[in-house]
Amino acid sequence: MGASKEDLMNSDYQVFQREDFVNRYQNLASFLQQQNGLQIQQAGGLGNPALVSIRGASASQTTLLVNGISANNSQHGGYDLNTIPLNQIERIEISRSGSSFDLSDQAIGGTINIITREGANNQNFSLNLGSEETLAASFSSSFDQGLSIQVDHEQSANSYDYPVPSPIANSSQRNQDQPLNNAEFSRSSVQLVQSFEEISARVRLNKQSKNIPDYFRNHPNNNASLDKQDATFSLQGKHKLEHENTNSALVSEHNWQVFHQKTNEHYQDDMGVIGLGKDNDKFYQTRSEAQWQSKLLFEQWQFQTQVSGYEESFSSRYLNDDDSFLCSTPQGNCDQKAYQQGIQALAGVRWANKKQNQQITIDVYQSHTNSYNRKRSSTKDSEEKNKYFIGYNLKYSVFNDASETHFSIKNSNRQPTLYQLFGDRGLLLGNPDLLDETSLSYSVDNLYSINDRHQMNSAIFYRQLKNAIVPVYDSRGVGRYENSKKAYLAGIEWQWRYQGDHFYSHLGADLYQSESLDDNVKSFNNKQIAGIYHNSVSLITGWSQQQHNIELINRINANIYIDRSNLIAGDNYHLTDINYQYQYSQISLGFSIKDLMNTRYKDFTNRPAIGRQWIVFTNFNF
């Protein structure tokens, strides 16, 4: 992070305003990577999904909200952080332990809420140029009557040198460095916002194309690709009422929102290079949601209620598989249509004593979902799966002159996605009998301000996870989603911050210990949770003076297993990044170099990392 003081907040709940990240980071993932307790999971070049882990939870156990609506997709429960350009973001909220009240965090790991822009005070244009023929441009402007627009485009050849395990031209030259073929990526998006006094409407269109490389042979004729298009519409309203008498004041705020999104994906592999055969597959997803939230403030009490309902669908079409319609071939693709409806009611209360040095927050919610599917060739739905869950967040907070401490308990769940329940790609099957993942977490978060320049954040937490959803493969190589039994994860996170007149420094560390217990799958029993770094250290140092700002970022990640059986240990690594920015009037210029030392290591997928990348940028306000 930079030199602004607005981000000096407790590690439990943070809010970052636009000035904390605009013109300083390439995308949302690069900004979140600087935050303590967050691990960004992105393999390869631009366009590959960027996921986030909060406090050691998996990416699917972390919730990403956009204006309060879940962005986790119905296929795998994940999301791509970089789908929303920074140009379209106004504010970022991060909750780690729950009971933030305003955010109502219900995720197993934590919740990130992205608030998009409603308008701009002026016109803005930015241009980025970088390695591997990377180009990014954005434009934003406001018009009369509350109308604003943000337009973004980014593209890259992604032709970085990659150690190919078995090059097709000469398979004996193992791990030979070659420019990666068929790795191009492009994405364009536009957001229109119409704002009135108490109502705003948003329309967002996104189109992207990602070529998929052949990482094993780097085949020159490979033309595999994944194209995606999505359209989103939302309508939001806010109404505030105030009632005063001689002794007290009553303030209420009411918010509502309706939302609809449609997503189409098209995967093609005409040469059959990536998969086991030639593919021409289409996937369709929709989600509709309505929300109502009311808040009431009366003296020392705050109350909130929230009711939401949603419906989502997922369907698949395997166009090259003649039998995908009838689904009569064992281990063959099968066209599916799946649906899920859900409703949730939440009630929350927050009380503070008269001295405002103690606070109690309670959130309780109940969710009810039902899901069903049918094969495309059938007119009969499967039996509905009805599920209920009661979750809660409890927090007790103590505030002193120089510190604040929060004690939290969170009971959460994650529902299986529609694909995990009903998906069928032949070699990986859904399981309609999957149970929800559930967790019980305990945490203590502390903020201690030594003085105006020094601050220490620390957190201790323990999480018990049941029924984690994992793919299990048999001797034929056919996989099926199953529930594992239990897992435990404990962690310590801390960060020291110094903010001087010109110099600033942030030193932090995340230390985790985990164990999975599963008598049904012996190879998973008594093993460390895979896919997360259990030891991380970061050091950010910077200097700001007049129009100049330079920042050096060092990160060390260690202790990761790639597989649940802990047979493949991932690489430990140390990366150094450098950022520079020059600001003159309404113009800013700068550059960023990631992995300055060009460190060679394998990432969390056990693939060689991309190596050094650079980008230069300019931004104009007019």
Side-chain angles (χ1 to χ4, degrees), residues 47 75 182-188 206-212 223-230 262-270 279-285:
Q75 278 207 68
N182 196 53
E184 295 84 359
F185 168 77
S186 67
R187 174 163 49 210
S188 299
N206 183 76
K207 181 179 181 180
Q208 69 179 51
S209 178
K210 177 70 175 75
N211 290 352
I212 302 176
N223 63 352
S225 65
L226 177 64
D227 297 327
K228 179 180 178 181
Q229 298 178 354
D230 61 72
K262 182 177 181 180
T263 303
N264 296 334
E265 293 180 319
H266 188 189
Y267 171 64
Q268 298 181 86
D269 182 9
D270 296 337
D279 286 292
N280 185 13
D281 311 330
K282 292 187 176 182
F283 308 99
Y284 308 93
Q285 302 172 61

Short mmCIF file of all heavy atoms in Angstrom, two decimals, residues 47 75 182-188 206-212 223-230 262-270 279-285:
data_model
loop_
_atom_site.label_atom_id
_atom_site.label_comp_id
_atom_site.label_asym_id
_atom_site.label_seq_id
_atom_site.Cartn_x
_atom_site.Cartn_y
_atom_site.Cartn_z
N GLY A 47 -5.37 -12.84 -18.27
CA GLY A 47 -6.55 -13.55 -18.75
C GLY A 47 -6.85 -14.83 -18.01
O GLY A 47 -8.00 -15.28 -18.00
N GLN A 75 -20.79 -22.76 -11.90
CA GLN A 75 -20.05 -23.94 -12.33
C GLN A 75 -19.15 -24.45 -11.21
O GLN A 75 -19.30 -25.56 -10.73
CB GLN A 75 -19.21 -23.62 -13.57
CG GLN A 75 -19.99 -23.68 -14.86
CD GLN A 75 -19.08 -24.00 -16.03
OE1 GLN A 75 -18.55 -25.10 -16.14
NE2 GLN A 75 -18.91 -23.04 -16.92
N ASN A 182 -0.24 -19.69 -28.92
CA ASN A 182 -1.69 -19.67 -28.71
C ASN A 182 -2.05 -19.26 -27.28
O ASN A 182 -2.82 -19.94 -26.60
CB ASN A 182 -2.29 -21.05 -29.02
CG ASN A 182 -3.81 -20.98 -29.19
OD1 ASN A 182 -4.31 -20.19 -29.96
ND2 ASN A 182 -4.52 -21.82 -28.45
N ALA A 183 -1.50 -18.15 -26.83
CA ALA A 183 -1.77 -17.69 -25.46
C ALA A 183 -2.42 -16.31 -25.44
O ALA A 183 -2.54 -15.70 -24.38
CB ALA A 183 -0.46 -17.65 -24.68
N GLU A 184 -2.88 -15.81 -26.59
CA GLU A 184 -3.41 -14.45 -26.66
C GLU A 184 -4.68 -14.30 -25.82
O GLU A 184 -5.45 -15.24 -25.63
CB GLU A 184 -3.74 -14.08 -28.11
CG GLU A 184 -2.53 -14.00 -29.02
CD GLU A 184 -2.13 -15.35 -29.59
OE1 GLU A 184 -2.77 -16.37 -29.25
OE2 GLU A 184 -1.17 -15.39 -30.38
N PHE A 185 -4.88 -13.07 -25.34
CA PHE A 185 -6.04 -12.76 -24.51
C PHE A 185 -6.51 -11.34 -24.81
O PHE A 185 -5.70 -10.44 -25.04
CB PHE A 185 -5.71 -12.87 -23.02
CG PHE A 185 -6.76 -12.28 -22.13
CD1 PHE A 185 -7.94 -12.95 -21.87
CD2 PHE A 185 -6.57 -11.03 -21.55
CE1 PHE A 185 -8.92 -12.40 -21.07
CE2 PHE A 185 -7.54 -10.47 -20.73
CZ PHE A 185 -8.71 -11.16 -20.48
N SER A 186 -7.82 -11.15 -24.81
CA SER A 186 -8.37 -9.79 -24.94
C SER A 186 -9.69 -9.74 -24.16
O SER A 186 -10.42 -10.73 -24.07
CB SER A 186 -8.61 -9.41 -26.40
OG SER A 186 -9.63 -10.19 -26.97
N ARG A 187 -9.95 -8.55 -23.57
CA ARG A 187 -11.19 -8.36 -22.83
C ARG A 187 -11.62 -6.90 -22.99
O ARG A 187 -10.82 -5.98 -22.85
CB ARG A 187 -11.02 -8.69 -21.36
CG ARG A 187 -12.26 -8.36 -20.51
CD ARG A 187 -12.23 -9.06 -19.16
NE ARG A 187 -10.99 -8.92 -18.46
CZ ARG A 187 -10.50 -9.82 -17.61
NH1 ARG A 187 -11.15 -10.93 -17.40
NH2 ARG A 187 -9.36 -9.61 -17.00
N SER A 188 -12.90 -6.69 -23.26
CA SER A 188 -13.47 -5.36 -23.36
C SER A 188 -14.72 -5.30 -22.50
O SER A 188 -15.48 -6.28 -22.43
CB SER A 188 -13.84 -5.02 -24.82
OG SER A 188 -12.70 -5.05 -25.65
N ASN A 206 -19.62 -7.30 -20.89
CA ASN A 206 -18.24 -7.79 -20.85
C ASN A 206 -18.06 -8.86 -21.93
O ASN A 206 -18.89 -9.75 -22.08
CB ASN A 206 -17.91 -8.37 -19.47
CG ASN A 206 -16.46 -8.82 -19.36
OD1 ASN A 206 -15.57 -8.00 -19.22
ND2 ASN A 206 -16.24 -10.13 -19.40
N LYS A 207 -16.97 -8.77 -22.66
CA LYS A 207 -16.65 -9.76 -23.69
C LYS A 207 -15.15 -10.06 -23.61
O LYS A 207 -14.33 -9.15 -23.61
CB LYS A 207 -17.01 -9.24 -25.08
CG LYS A 207 -16.73 -10.24 -26.20
CD LYS A 207 -17.14 -9.67 -27.56
CE LYS A 207 -16.87 -10.69 -28.68
NZ LYS A 207 -17.26 -10.15 -30.01
N GLN A 208 -14.82 -11.34 -23.57
CA GLN A 208 -13.41 -11.71 -23.51
C GLN A 208 -13.14 -12.97 -24.32
O GLN A 208 -14.03 -13.81 -24.51
CB GLN A 208 -12.94 -11.90 -22.07
CG GLN A 208 -13.51 -13.10 -21.36
CD GLN A 208 -12.97 -13.23 -19.95
OE1 GLN A 208 -12.99 -12.29 -19.17
NE2 GLN A 208 -12.47 -14.41 -19.61
N SER A 209 -11.91 -13.07 -24.79
CA SER A 209 -11.46 -14.23 -25.55
C SER A 209 -10.10 -14.65 -25.03
O SER A 209 -9.18 -13.83 -24.95
CB SER A 209 -11.39 -13.91 -27.04
OG SER A 209 -10.91 -15.02 -27.78
N LYS A 210 -9.96 -15.92 -24.66
CA LYS A 210 -8.71 -16.44 -24.11
C LYS A 210 -8.30 -17.68 -24.86
O LYS A 210 -8.99 -18.70 -24.86
CB LYS A 210 -8.87 -16.78 -22.63
CG LYS A 210 -7.63 -17.41 -21.99
CD LYS A 210 -6.52 -16.39 -21.85
CE LYS A 210 -5.32 -16.97 -21.10
NZ LYS A 210 -4.52 -17.89 -21.95
N ASN A 211 -7.17 -17.58 -25.60
CA ASN A 211 -6.60 -18.78 -26.22
C ASN A 211 -5.92 -19.62 -25.14
O ASN A 211 -5.32 -19.08 -24.21
CB ASN A 211 -5.61 -18.39 -27.31
CG ASN A 211 -6.29 -17.79 -28.51
OD1 ASN A 211 -7.51 -17.79 -28.61
ND2 ASN A 211 -5.50 -17.25 -29.43
N ILE A 212 -5.98 -20.93 -25.31
CA ILE A 212 -5.48 -21.84 -24.27
C ILE A 212 -4.24 -22.54 -24.78
O ILE A 212 -4.31 -23.33 -25.74
CB ILE A 212 -6.56 -22.86 -23.89
CG1 ILE A 212 -7.81 -22.11 -23.39
CG2 ILE A 212 -6.04 -23.82 -22.83
CD1 ILE A 212 -8.96 -23.01 -23.08
N ASN A 223 -5.23 -24.37 -31.52
CA ASN A 223 -6.12 -23.21 -31.62
C ASN A 223 -7.24 -23.27 -30.58
O ASN A 223 -8.31 -22.70 -30.78
CB ASN A 223 -6.72 -23.11 -33.03
CG ASN A 223 -7.60 -24.30 -33.38
OD1 ASN A 223 -7.66 -25.28 -32.63
ND2 ASN A 223 -8.28 -24.22 -34.51
N ALA A 224 -7.00 -23.96 -29.48
CA ALA A 224 -8.00 -24.06 -28.42
C ALA A 224 -8.27 -22.68 -27.83
O ALA A 224 -7.37 -21.86 -27.67
CB ALA A 224 -7.53 -25.02 -27.33
N SER A 225 -9.55 -22.42 -27.48
CA SER A 225 -9.91 -21.11 -26.96
C SER A 225 -11.15 -21.21 -26.08
O SER A 225 -11.95 -22.16 -26.20
CB SER A 225 -10.16 -20.12 -28.09
OG SER A 225 -11.29 -20.51 -28.85
N LEU A 226 -11.31 -20.22 -25.22
CA LEU A 226 -12.50 -20.09 -24.39
C LEU A 226 -12.99 -18.65 -24.53
O LEU A 226 -12.30 -17.71 -24.12
CB LEU A 226 -12.20 -20.41 -22.93
CG LEU A 226 -13.37 -20.24 -21.95
CD1 LEU A 226 -14.50 -21.21 -22.29
CD2 LEU A 226 -12.92 -20.44 -20.51
N ASP A 227 -14.16 -18.48 -25.12
CA ASP A 227 -14.78 -17.16 -25.28
C ASP A 227 -15.90 -17.01 -24.27
O ASP A 227 -16.65 -17.96 -24.00
CB ASP A 227 -15.32 -16.99 -26.70
CG ASP A 227 -14.22 -17.04 -27.75
OD1 ASP A 227 -13.10 -16.59 -27.45
OD2 ASP A 227 -14.49 -17.54 -28.86
N LYS A 228 -16.04 -15.79 -23.75
CA LYS A 228 -17.05 -15.54 -22.73
C LYS A 228 -17.71 -14.19 -22.97
O LYS A 228 -17.03 -13.21 -23.27
CB LYS A 228 -16.39 -15.57 -21.34
CG LYS A 228 -17.34 -15.30 -20.19
CD LYS A 228 -16.60 -15.35 -18.86
CE LYS A 228 -17.52 -15.03 -17.69
NZ LYS A 228 -16.79 -15.05 -16.39
N GLN A 229 -19.01 -14.16 -22.81
CA GLN A 229 -19.77 -12.93 -22.89
C GLN A 229 -20.75 -12.90 -21.74
O GLN A 229 -21.38 -13.91 -21.42
CB GLN A 229 -20.55 -12.83 -24.22
CG GLN A 229 -19.68 -12.82 -25.46
CD GLN A 229 -20.51 -12.78 -26.74
OE1 GLN A 229 -21.72 -12.86 -26.70
NE2 GLN A 229 -19.83 -12.64 -27.86
N ASP A 230 -20.87 -11.75 -21.09
CA ASP A 230 -21.87 -11.63 -20.03
C ASP A 230 -22.47 -10.24 -20.04
O ASP A 230 -21.81 -9.26 -20.43
CB ASP A 230 -21.31 -11.99 -18.66
CG ASP A 230 -20.17 -11.10 -18.22
OD1 ASP A 230 -20.43 -9.93 -17.90
OD2 ASP A 230 -19.02 -11.56 -18.18
N LYS A 262 -26.60 -12.70 -17.28
CA LYS A 262 -26.57 -13.83 -18.21
C LYS A 262 -25.15 -13.99 -18.74
O LYS A 262 -24.53 -13.01 -19.17
CB LYS A 262 -27.54 -13.60 -19.37
CG LYS A 262 -27.61 -14.75 -20.36
CD LYS A 262 -28.64 -14.50 -21.45
CE LYS A 262 -28.72 -15.69 -22.42
NZ LYS A 262 -29.71 -15.46 -23.49
N THR A 263 -24.64 -15.22 -18.71
CA THR A 263 -23.28 -15.50 -19.12
C THR A 263 -23.27 -16.66 -20.11
O THR A 263 -23.88 -17.71 -19.84
CB THR A 263 -22.39 -15.87 -17.92
OG1 THR A 263 -22.42 -14.80 -16.96
CG2 THR A 263 -20.95 -16.11 -18.35
N ASN A 264 -22.58 -16.47 -21.23
CA ASN A 264 -22.40 -17.52 -22.23
C ASN A 264 -20.91 -17.80 -22.39
O ASN A 264 -20.11 -16.87 -22.54
CB ASN A 264 -22.99 -17.11 -23.58
CG ASN A 264 -24.49 -16.91 -23.52
OD1 ASN A 264 -25.18 -17.49 -22.69
ND2 ASN A 264 -25.00 -16.08 -24.41
N GLU A 265 -20.55 -19.08 -22.38
CA GLU A 265 -19.16 -19.49 -22.59
C GLU A 265 -19.09 -20.48 -23.75
O GLU A 265 -19.98 -21.33 -23.89
CB GLU A 265 -18.58 -20.12 -21.32
CG GLU A 265 -18.42 -19.15 -20.17
CD GLU A 265 -17.82 -19.82 -18.95
OE1 GLU A 265 -18.21 -20.97 -18.65
OE2 GLU A 265 -16.99 -19.19 -18.29
N HIS A 266 -18.03 -20.40 -24.53
CA HIS A 266 -17.85 -21.28 -25.68
C HIS A 266 -16.41 -21.79 -25.68
O HIS A 266 -15.47 -21.00 -25.86
CB HIS A 266 -18.15 -20.53 -26.98
CG HIS A 266 -18.18 -21.42 -28.17
ND1 HIS A 266 -18.25 -20.93 -29.47
CD2 HIS A 266 -18.15 -22.79 -28.31
CE1 HIS A 266 -18.26 -21.94 -30.31
NE2 HIS A 266 -18.21 -23.08 -29.63
N TYR A 267 -16.24 -23.09 -25.45
CA TYR A 267 -14.91 -23.71 -25.44
C TYR A 267 -14.73 -24.51 -26.73
O TYR A 267 -15.57 -25.35 -27.07
CB TYR A 267 -14.75 -24.63 -24.23
CG TYR A 267 -13.49 -25.46 -24.28
CD1 TYR A 267 -12.24 -24.87 -24.25
CD2 TYR A 267 -13.57 -26.85 -24.35
CE1 TYR A 267 -11.09 -25.64 -24.29
CE2 TYR A 267 -12.42 -27.63 -24.39
CZ TYR A 267 -11.19 -27.01 -24.36
OH TYR A 267 -10.05 -27.78 -24.42
N GLN A 268 -13.63 -24.24 -27.44
CA GLN A 268 -13.35 -24.93 -28.69
C GLN A 268 -11.92 -25.47 -28.69
O GLN A 268 -10.99 -24.79 -28.25
CB GLN A 268 -13.51 -24.00 -29.89
CG GLN A 268 -14.91 -23.46 -30.07
CD GLN A 268 -15.01 -22.56 -31.28
OE1 GLN A 268 -15.22 -23.02 -32.40
NE2 GLN A 268 -14.87 -21.25 -31.07
N ASP A 269 -11.78 -26.70 -29.17
CA ASP A 269 -10.46 -27.31 -29.38
C ASP A 269 -10.58 -28.17 -30.64
O ASP A 269 -10.71 -29.39 -30.58
CB ASP A 269 -10.05 -28.14 -28.16
CG ASP A 269 -8.66 -28.75 -28.31
OD1 ASP A 269 -7.96 -28.39 -29.28
OD2 ASP A 269 -8.29 -29.59 -27.47
N ASP A 270 -10.55 -27.50 -31.81
CA ASP A 270 -10.78 -28.19 -33.08
C ASP A 270 -9.73 -29.24 -33.39
O ASP A 270 -10.01 -30.22 -34.08
CB ASP A 270 -10.81 -27.16 -34.23
CG ASP A 270 -11.97 -26.19 -34.09
OD1 ASP A 270 -12.95 -26.54 -33.41
OD2 ASP A 270 -11.88 -25.08 -34.64
N ASP A 279 -13.20 -30.73 -29.19
CA ASP A 279 -14.26 -30.17 -28.35
C ASP A 279 -14.88 -28.95 -29.01
O ASP A 279 -14.19 -28.14 -29.64
CB ASP A 279 -13.70 -29.76 -26.98
CG ASP A 279 -13.41 -30.95 -26.10
OD1 ASP A 279 -14.37 -31.62 -25.68
OD2 ASP A 279 -12.22 -31.22 -25.84
N ASN A 280 -16.20 -28.86 -28.85
CA ASN A 280 -16.95 -27.67 -29.24
C ASN A 280 -18.12 -27.58 -28.26
O ASN A 280 -19.21 -28.07 -28.52
CB ASN A 280 -17.44 -27.79 -30.68
CG ASN A 280 -18.12 -26.53 -31.17
OD1 ASN A 280 -18.03 -25.48 -30.55
ND2 ASN A 280 -18.84 -26.64 -32.29
N ASP A 281 -17.87 -26.96 -27.10
CA ASP A 281 -18.78 -27.01 -25.97
C ASP A 281 -19.29 -25.62 -25.63
O ASP A 281 -18.54 -24.64 -25.67
CB ASP A 281 -18.08 -27.59 -24.73
CG ASP A 281 -17.34 -28.89 -25.04
OD1 ASP A 281 -17.78 -29.61 -25.96
OD2 ASP A 281 -16.32 -29.16 -24.38
N LYS A 282 -20.57 -25.55 -25.27
CA LYS A 282 -21.17 -24.28 -24.87
C LYS A 282 -21.81 -24.43 -23.49
O LYS A 282 -22.43 -25.45 -23.19
CB LYS A 282 -22.21 -23.83 -25.89
CG LYS A 282 -21.62 -23.43 -27.24
CD LYS A 282 -22.65 -22.82 -28.16
CE LYS A 282 -22.01 -22.33 -29.46
NZ LYS A 282 -23.00 -21.68 -30.37
N PHE A 283 -21.64 -23.39 -22.69
CA PHE A 283 -22.18 -23.38 -21.33
C PHE A 283 -22.95 -22.07 -21.12
O PHE A 283 -22.48 -21.00 -21.52
CB PHE A 283 -21.06 -23.50 -20.29
CG PHE A 283 -20.14 -24.67 -20.53
CD1 PHE A 283 -18.91 -24.49 -21.16
CD2 PHE A 283 -20.52 -25.95 -20.16
CE1 PHE A 283 -18.08 -25.56 -21.40
CE2 PHE A 283 -19.69 -27.02 -20.40
CZ PHE A 283 -18.46 -26.84 -21.01
N TYR A 284 -24.09 -22.17 -20.47
CA TYR A 284 -24.96 -21.01 -20.28
C TYR A 284 -25.30 -20.90 -18.79
O TYR A 284 -25.67 -21.89 -18.16
CB TYR A 284 -26.25 -21.15 -21.09
CG TYR A 284 -26.04 -21.47 -22.55
CD1 TYR A 284 -26.02 -22.80 -22.99
CD2 TYR A 284 -25.83 -20.46 -23.50
CE1 TYR A 284 -25.82 -23.11 -24.33
CE2 TYR A 284 -25.63 -20.77 -24.84
CZ TYR A 284 -25.62 -22.09 -25.24
OH TYR A 284 -25.42 -22.40 -26.57
N GLN A 285 -25.18 -19.70 -18.27
CA GLN A 285 -25.49 -19.46 -16.86
C GLN A 285 -26.35 -18.20 -16.74
O GLN A 285 -26.14 -17.23 -17.45
CB GLN A 285 -24.21 -19.26 -16.04
CG GLN A 285 -23.23 -20.42 -16.11
CD GLN A 285 -21.92 -20.07 -15.45
OE1 GLN A 285 -21.86 -19.79 -14.27
NE2 GLN A 285 -20.85 -20.09 -16.22
#
